[in-house]
């Protein structure tokens, strides 16, 4: 163990002996570069959860491959020795059981995936959340006895500390850096000031733009975890040559960590999230990470739709069912009667641009002006065929062209978000669907369920409802996808409440 001829190699015999003695085997891995208090606490907690601890140490070549030629700061032999000395009473003298580490293994650059984990086959693998995906954690439980996920033991990582130091020492390589940065923050802030919804995290995002180190395009991201808002900003590598830094024109050139990635690192130990806010729409590389992390909804304030990276990113989001909401588009306004501005997203129960007929629109507007939901079962004007615990069924008063039968399956209670549906509602919907195909002799057709933003879904009424459609001999074109403005020839009926 720790012999000079086998330095950095797994001591198979010592591991076997420990296992035969009934000791609990633990494994913890890392780079351990610029060793700090967080590293120390992490290794100590690892040892507290086992009897025999193996510490994996990334080799210099392995770190360089992942983090660049300027890393590590501390060579592998010194990192090995530092960990070896942890807990030893007298420097340079190792006594069995005195060191925190019972064995230390330097991991080569060409190491196969999880090679050391498979070799050690630990009773407990100690790690932090961001090291593996959810799927990988599930796989690891088949290799190890258990996986113990610890929170970060320090607020700031080695990489973050290094960036801060580099910025302090090297920002002077950018000509007039301070003025350029302040101007970039001011410009971004002014562009975001057009946002009408100034609730959190908006104000916090504006404030945290100053945490960015990008003097071309400062970006900030936010997410809420356990009722608290957290923020991350984009960070640039000022260690590049003066020429490269000052000639920088491409938006992402020299940006080494984007805002949403910085944010995810900060909150990875605090709990799962499914929604993030970003001042600039994520690039395609970041979108892949967000998909992996299970993000389902992205609010953004700015975008560069003409850029290929933005197009690729939007395609990835759509393919993976991530809802993307531009905060500048949420308040869609247009002129009506040349002098009246109508905000269609301010309507509580209806979305007028998707109305197809004037009679339909007039009924919708009458109910809206009287603060009534047109699909409320207590006021709906068409016949209710039957109802269940969660749904009621009616024929569509304004069916689409060429439909043989078109039924509406409408949420009994005021439910407007598909995420508010419980499992029982879903099961009941399936039962209604199958029952109706039999009772109403529907040999074929479609069950269409619109959801989300109405200009995308095509729905004119916001209460959740499904369409059960049976065609005639002609093909039906049931629209999924809506409008931003009133359809040609339709006009809004004004409220007469104040007449």
């Amino acid at each position: 163990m720790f012999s000079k001829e086998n330095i950095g190699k797994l001591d198979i015999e010592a591991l076997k002996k420990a296992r035969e003695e009934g000791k609990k085997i633990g494994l913890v891995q890392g780079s351990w570069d610029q060793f700090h208090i967080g590293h120390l606490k992490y290794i100590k907690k690892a040892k507290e959860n086992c009897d025999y601890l193996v510490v994996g140490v990334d080799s210099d070549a392995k770190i360089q491959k992942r983090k660049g030629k300027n890393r590590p700061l501390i060579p592998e032999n010194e990192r090995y020795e530092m960990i070896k000395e942890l807990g030893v009473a007298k420097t340079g003298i190792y006594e069995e059981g005195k060191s925190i580490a019972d064995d230390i293994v330097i991991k080569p650059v060409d190491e196969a995936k999880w090679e050391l984990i498979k070799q050690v086959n630990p009773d407990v693998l100690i790690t932090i959340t961001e090291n593996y995906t959810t799927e990988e954690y599930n796989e690891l439980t088949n290799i190890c006895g258990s996986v113990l996920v610890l929170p970060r033991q320090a607020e700031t990582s080695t990489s973050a500390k290094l960036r801060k130091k580099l910025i302090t020492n090297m920002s002077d390589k950018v000509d007039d850096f301070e003025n350029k940065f302040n101007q970039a923050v001011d410009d971004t802030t002014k562009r975001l000031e057009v946002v009408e919804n100034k609730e959190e995290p908006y104000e916090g995002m504006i404030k945290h733009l100053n945490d960015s180190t990008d003097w071309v395009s400062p970006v900030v991201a936010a997410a809420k975890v356990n009722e608290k808002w957290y923020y991350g900003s984009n960070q640039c590598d000022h260690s590049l040559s003066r020429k490269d830094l000052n000639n920088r024109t491409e938006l992402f050139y020299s940006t080494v960590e984007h805002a949403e990635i910085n944010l995810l690192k900060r909150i990875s130990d605090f709990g799962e999230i499914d929604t993030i806010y970003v001042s600039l729409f994520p690039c395609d590389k970041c979108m892949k990470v967000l998909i992996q992390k299970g993000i389902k909804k992205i609010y953004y304030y700015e975008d560069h739709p003409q850029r290929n990276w933005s197009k690729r990113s939007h395609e990835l989001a759509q393919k993976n069912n991530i809802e993307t909401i531009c905060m500048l588009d949420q308040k869609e306004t247009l002129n009506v009667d040349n002098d009246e501005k109508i905000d269609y997203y301010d309507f509580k129960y209806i979305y007028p641009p998707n109305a197809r007929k004037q009679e339909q629109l007039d009924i919708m507007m009458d109910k809206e002006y009287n603060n009534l939901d047109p699909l409320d079962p207590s006021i709906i004007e068409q016949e209710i065929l039957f109802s269940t615990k969660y749904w009621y069924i009616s024929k569509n008063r304004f069916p689409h062209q060429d439909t043989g039968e078109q039924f509406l399956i409408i949420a009994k209670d005021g439910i407007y978000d598909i995420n508010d549906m419980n499992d029982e509602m879903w099961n009941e919907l399936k039962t209604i669907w199958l029952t109706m195909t039999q009772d109403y002799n529907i040999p074929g057709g479609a069950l269409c369920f619109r959801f989300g933003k109405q200009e995308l879904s095509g729905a004119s009424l916001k209460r959740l409802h499904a369409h059960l459609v049976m065609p005639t001999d002609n093909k039906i074109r049931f629209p999924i996808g809506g409008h931003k403005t009133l359809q040609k020839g339709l006009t809004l009926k004004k409220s007469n409440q104040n007449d």
Side-chain angles (χ1 to χ4, degrees):
M1 188 179 299
F2 298 141
S3 60
K4 290 184 179 180
E5 61 272 16
N6 292 314
I7 186 169
K9 295 181 181 179
L10 181 64
D11 192 330
I12 301 294
E13 291 303 317
L15 179 64
K16 181 180 178 182
K17 180 183 176 183
R19 185 163 276 127
E20 289 174 348
E21 293 174 352
K23 291 182 178 180
K24 184 178 181 181
I25 310 300
L27 172 64
V28 66
Q29 306 178 93
S31 299
W32 320 111
D33 194 17
Q34 192 180 324
F35 200 86
H36 55 69
I37 187 64
H39 292 149
L40 176 59
K41 290 181 178 180
Y42 186 27
I43 294 178
K44 287 180 69 175
K45 284 186 178 293
K47 186 57 180 281
E48 289 171 5
N49 286 277
C50 66
D51 304 310
Y52 185 96
L53 180 64
V54 179
V55 180
V57 178
D58 291 339
S59 65
D60 291 350
K62 192 174 183 69
I63 294 175
Q64 286 173 358
K65 183 177 180 180
R66 188 172 71 254
K67 297 191 176 184
K69 62 182 181 179
N70 294 325
R71 300 287 297 275
L73 297 181
I74 303 173
E76 63 190 49
N77 62 315
E78 291 186 28
R79 288 181 281 126
Y80 176 95
E81 289 295 329
M82 281 191 297
I83 294 172
K84 177 182 172 183
E85 294 290 334
L86 292 178
V88 174
K90 192 172 182 180
T91 303
I93 300 178
Y94 171 74
E95 296 178 48
E96 187 173 352
K98 294 292 185 180
S99 175
I100 288 179
D102 295 283
D103 198 6
I104 305 172
V105 181
I106 296 178
K107 301 167 64 178
V109 65
D110 57 353
E111 177 193 45
K113 181 179 180 180
W114 299 348
E115 182 176 329
L116 183 58
I117 299 175
K118 293 175 182 177
Q119 286 181 327
V120 175
N121 188 23
D123 297 305
V124 57
L125 173 67
I126 299 95
T127 183
I128 57 176
T129 306
E130 64 194 57
N131 283 351
Y132 305 104
T133 64
T134 302
E135 293 75 15
E136 287 175 330
Y137 279 120
N138 293 333
E139 290 181 50
L140 285 167
T141 56
N142 296 322
I143 300 175
C144 312
S146 64
V147 179
L148 174 62
V149 181
L150 295 176
R152 277 191 174 274
Q153 302 300 303
E155 292 185 3
T156 309
S157 68
T158 298
S159 295
K161 290 178 179 178
L162 288 173
R163 273 196 303 276
K164 187 174 181 179
K165 194 71 174 177
L166 287 170
I167 297 306
T168 302
N169 294 338
M170 298 183 178
S171 61
D172 58 350
K173 293 200 306 185
V174 179
D175 296 340
D176 201 22
F177 171 83
E178 187 173 352
N179 286 334
K180 286 180 179 177
F181 176 72
N182 290 338
Q183 184 62 55
V185 171
D186 288 344
D187 290 345
T188 303
T189 301
K190 288 177 182 177
R191 292 197 304 274
L192 300 187
E193 284 295 340
V194 300
V195 178
E196 294 188 19
N197 181 7
K198 298 294 172 56
E199 298 177 357
E200 288 291 3
Y202 176 82
E203 294 296 342
M205 292 177 70
I206 293 293
K207 178 181 177 182
H208 282 82
L209 278 173
N210 287 287
D211 293 339
S212 171
T213 58
D214 188 339
W215 65 100
V216 174
S217 179
V219 179
V220 66
K224 194 174 187 179
V225 186
N226 298 326
E227 301 305 314
K228 181 179 179 181
W229 285 102
Y230 292 88
Y231 303 88
S233 59
N234 57 338
Q235 303 293 313
C236 293
D237 183 2
H238 289 243
S239 65
L240 298 175
S241 70
R242 176 182 292 274
K243 178 182 177 182
D244 287 339
L245 287 173
N246 282 284
N247 290 341
R248 177 184 170 203
T249 55
E250 166 54 33
L251 186 63
F252 291 111
Y253 179 67
S254 83
T255 302
V256 295
E257 183 170 83
H258 293 183
E260 47 270 47
I261 304 303
N262 187 313
L263 170 68
L264 290 176
K265 287 184 176 181
R266 289 171 182 262
I267 64 178
S268 61
D269 300 327
F270 302 154
E272 295 183 359
I273 60 167
D274 60 9
T275 302
I276 68 166
Y277 293 73
V278 288
S279 58
L280 179 66
F281 194 78
C283 72
D284 50 335
K285 292 181 179 179
C286 288
M287 185 62 73
K288 291 178 181 178
V289 177
L290 297 177
I291 292 168
Q292 185 184 67
K293 295 294 183 180
I295 299 300
K296 298 300 181 186
K297 187 178 292 187
I298 300 172
Y299 289 91
Y300 65 98
Y301 295 99
E302 295 186 294
D303 193 5
H304 291 277
Q306 75 281 7
R307 299 287 184 92
N308 287 330
W309 60 261
S310 178
K311 295 175 183 176
R312 291 192 299 267
S313 190
H314 278 283
E315 289 173 358
L316 282 170
Q318 185 176 14
K319 182 179 179 181
N320 288 274
N321 298 316
I322 295 178
E323 185 180 0
T324 58
I325 304 102
C326 179
M327 301 304 290
L328 302 184
D329 288 343
Q330 274 203 318
K331 297 295 183 181
E332 186 74 42
T333 61
L334 57 101
N335 290 322
V336 177
D337 295 338
N338 297 323
D339 58 357
E340 182 182 3
K341 282 192 173 182
I342 300 296
D343 186 342
Y344 292 130
Y345 279 96
D346 273 350
F347 288 100
K348 186 175 180 179
Y349 301 110
I350 68 175
Y351 185 74
N354 288 337
R356 292 173 286 113
K357 299 179 180 180
Q358 187 64 52
E359 180 187 3
Q360 176 190 17
L361 180 58
D362 289 345
I363 293 172
M364 289 164 51
M365 293 298 295
D366 279 336
K367 297 293 188 291
E368 178 75 26
Y369 283 138
N370 287 286
N371 196 31
L372 297 172
D373 184 342
L375 292 182
D376 187 324
S378 65
I379 65 165
I380 193 168
E381 296 180 5
Q382 60 258 44
E383 178 187 3
I384 295 178
L385 302 176
F386 68 95
S387 62
T388 62
K389 180 178 179 180
Y390 292 104
W391 305 93
Y392 74 94
I393 292 81
S394 175
K395 286 192 176 182
N396 192 354
R397 191 173 179 181
F398 300 98
H400 290 270
Q401 187 175 356
D402 295 324
T403 55
E405 295 282 7
Q406 185 174 357
F407 299 90
L408 295 178
I409 306 172
I410 307 165
K412 253 187 181 180
D413 297 323
I415 296 178
Y416 303 92
D417 188 335
I418 197 168
N419 293 308
D420 293 334
M421 285 181 61
N422 58 36
D423 291 341
E424 194 174 351
M425 287 187 73
W426 283 110
N427 291 332
E428 206 174 70
L429 178 62
K430 178 183 177 181
T431 301
I432 292 170
W433 173 22
L434 297 176
T435 299
M436 291 187 69
T437 58
Q438 296 176 2
D439 292 352
Y440 290 87
N441 192 27
I442 302 175
L447 181 70
C448 305
F449 201 121
R450 293 184 173 116
F451 67 94
K453 199 173 182 181
Q454 286 75 38
E455 71 180 57
L456 299 176
S457 72
S460 58
L461 299 170
K462 296 184 177 181
R463 181 182 291 231
L464 285 183
H465 61 281
H467 293 257
L468 182 58
V469 184
M470 175 183 171
T472 60
D473 294 337
N474 296 322
K475 182 182 291 186
I476 294 175
R477 299 194 179 277
F478 185 91
I480 299 176
H483 304 273
K484 292 185 177 181
T485 61
L486 285 178
Q487 297 199 47
K488 189 175 180 180
L490 301 187
T491 58
L492 291 182
K493 181 179 179 180
K494 296 183 179 181
S495 171
N496 58 8
Q497 291 181 335
N498 297 322
D499 292 350

